[in-house]
Each structure stands twice: as C-alpha cells, then as structure tokens.
Amino acid sequence: MTLYRRWPDVRALVGDVMTREWVAVTLGAVPPDDGSRQVRPHLVDTLVAGLRALRGHPLLRKILDVDPELLLPYLFDRRGASQDRVLEFIEEALRRGHADGSIRADHPVRQARCLLLVLQSFVFSTRTMTDDTDPELTEAAFHDELRHLLERTLTP
C-alpha cells in the first residue's frame, strides 16, 4: 500500500526508477573536462560514454529482455523525463560549441533532438546489428562508428 500512495501503478513506479537510474548513469558517465579543450570532442566523448553506460545498465538490459513494450511510449508517443534531461544537457553543450566554433552552427534544439534520435537507435538496436564472430561488427566497433558519425555531424 505504501508504494501506491506515491505511485498510481507499477508502470509509474518503473518510469520514475528509469528516469532516476538512466539520467544518473548517462550523465554520470561524463568524462571530466578541465576546460582546456573545445566542446565538440568533449561532447562526443560524453555521448559515447553515456551510451555505453546506459547499454550496460542492468535495468535497461532487463527491460529489453523481459518487457521491451514498456519502452514503446517513449519511442513512439512522447518523450520521457530522462530523454528531456539528456536533451537539456546536449542543447547546452551545443550552444557552448557554437560559441567556441567547434560545433556546426544550427538550431540547437533540432540538433539535440536529431542527436538523441541517433543515440536511441544505438541504445535499442545495436544488439540486432552486432556479430561477435566478426571483429568489424562488434559492439565496440559500432561505438567507434557512432563516434565517427557524431564527429562528422557536429564538425563545422
């Protein structure tokens, strides 16, 4: 009964846990920035590290294995709180990158949303594309390709 005083159902509880965990692991993977380098390389490192951390998170792995339908509303109907928090982080970094000239100047909200779409596809679909018997199709190889995509997309 105590749970239902705070959450109306299990899905709401799981949604709050997903937000807490995934924002913490994604943004917690941000490499330290001593301010000596431009924004673009730091943002690319951050996005790849966050993706790797999220893909390895036990809650995400369990949901993908047991109840992937739980994620469908966040892919097709609406953004969740964790997506909004990551978008805020990316938008702020893009604005700083526009200012220092390391990121191609464009509409930062649209750029951030496009980056999140790419990242989400890597989070949810990488395992359908990997083949551990081919060293060019491992998860690490796809992370390297993501890094290349991000660099090319963001370079002025």
Side-chain angles (χ1 to χ4, degrees):
M1 288 300 291
T2 303
L3 288 174
Y4 290 110
R5 288 185 190 146
R6 174 136 186 208
W7 293 279
D9 55 35
V10 172
R11 287 199 178 264
L13 170 63
V14 171
D16 281 356
V17 170
M18 287 188 308
T19 297
R20 185 192 74 210
E21 290 296 311
W22 295 346
V23 168
V25 73
T26 303
L27 298 182
V30 175
D33 181 13
D34 63 6
S36 65
R37 55 187 212 169
Q38 292 183 313
V39 172
R40 188 185 72 249
H42 187 259
L43 178 58
V44 169
D45 288 349
T46 296
L47 295 177
V48 173
L51 173 110
R52 290 176 72 126
L54 183 58
R55 281 195 45 77
H57 194 280
L59 178 60
L60 177 64
R61 295 176 81 80
K62 188 67 164 180
I63 290 171
L64 290 175
D65 288 341
V66 175
D67 190 12
E69 294 82 19
L70 180 68
L71 301 171
L72 292 178
Y74 305 107
L75 297 173
F76 297 113
D77 298 325
R78 64 181 177 85
R79 287 190 315 270
S82 56
Q83 290 162 310
D84 284 338
R85 180 61 190 97
V86 171
L87 280 171
E88 290 170 10
F89 173 83
I90 296 171
E91 287 171 29
E92 192 273 326
L94 289 170
R95 285 178 182 23
R96 288 186 293 111
H98 294 163
D100 79 3
S102 67
I103 293 177
R104 176 179 52 84
D106 205 336
H107 190 278
V109 174
R110 186 181 61 239
Q111 277 181 309
R113 290 178 183 188
C114 285
L115 290 174
L116 186 58
L117 287 170
V118 169
L119 293 167
Q120 285 180 167
S121 72
F122 273 79
V123 167
F124 298 119
S125 299
T126 296
R127 72 180 178 174
T128 67
M129 299 295 154
T130 59
D131 178 352
D132 290 336
T133 65
D134 184 337
E136 295 300 319
L137 296 176
T138 63
E139 192 168 317
F142 278 92
H143 292 157
D144 290 343
E145 188 65 22
L146 173 62
R147 180 178 299 286
H148 178 73
L149 287 168
L150 295 172
E151 281 286 346
R152 294 294 299 249
T153 297
L154 295 173
T155 298

